[in-house]
Amino acid sequence: MESYKLIQSVLGGIYGAQVGLDDDEAIAAFKMDLQQPEFRKGIEKELKQAFSDPSISWVKLMDECEVAYFDTEEDAKSFAKELLWDVVFPKTR
């Protein structure tokens, strides 16, 4: 599995349970970060790679970043899409 440092940073630092933000607060914080052009460019690239990477384990990533525990890759990827992809690429819903 490739390393997705920005994705891990967002999941752990914004959406992680220890941060204590609800989903709406976390999405608002993520949107603020996206206003930084370099960060936005990097996260867009990582998301495109990650969502087409068959070796990524969204279950493992969500668990390691303390976002949530999922039983299936499908559920974890769907939640990641909602928290990450849909925020960065809202027109592609």
Side-chain angles (χ1 to χ4, degrees):
M1 181 171 82
E2 191 169 333
S3 176
Y4 297 105
K5 300 280 187 215
L6 292 176
I7 292 172
Q8 290 172 319
S9 174
V10 170
L11 288 175
I14 294 177
Y15 293 110
Q18 75 282 4
V19 178
L21 300 176
D22 67 30
D23 285 350
D24 290 335
E25 292 169 332
I27 288 170
F30 185 30
K31 285 180 178 179
M32 291 291 292
D33 287 347
L34 289 172
Q35 292 178 15
Q36 300 171 15
E38 286 299 311
F39 174 77
R40 183 176 197 88
K41 183 178 175 185
I43 197 77
E44 285 177 355
K45 181 180 177 188
E46 277 193 19
L47 287 173
K48 288 175 182 176
Q49 289 175 337
F51 276 89
S52 63
D53 182 353
S55 71
I56 192 170
S57 171
W58 290 101
V59 167
K60 183 177 177 184
L61 196 55
M62 291 291 197
D63 186 42
E64 287 177 350
C65 295
E66 298 181 5
V67 176
Y69 177 78
F70 294 91
D71 290 324
T72 69
E73 284 296 324
E74 184 179 321
D75 288 346
K77 187 174 183 177
S78 176
F79 195 60
K81 181 183 180 300
E82 184 180 318
L83 296 181
L84 300 169
W85 186 274
D86 291 349
V87 176
V88 175
F89 305 108
K91 295 178 180 81
T92 61
R93 282 186 167 181

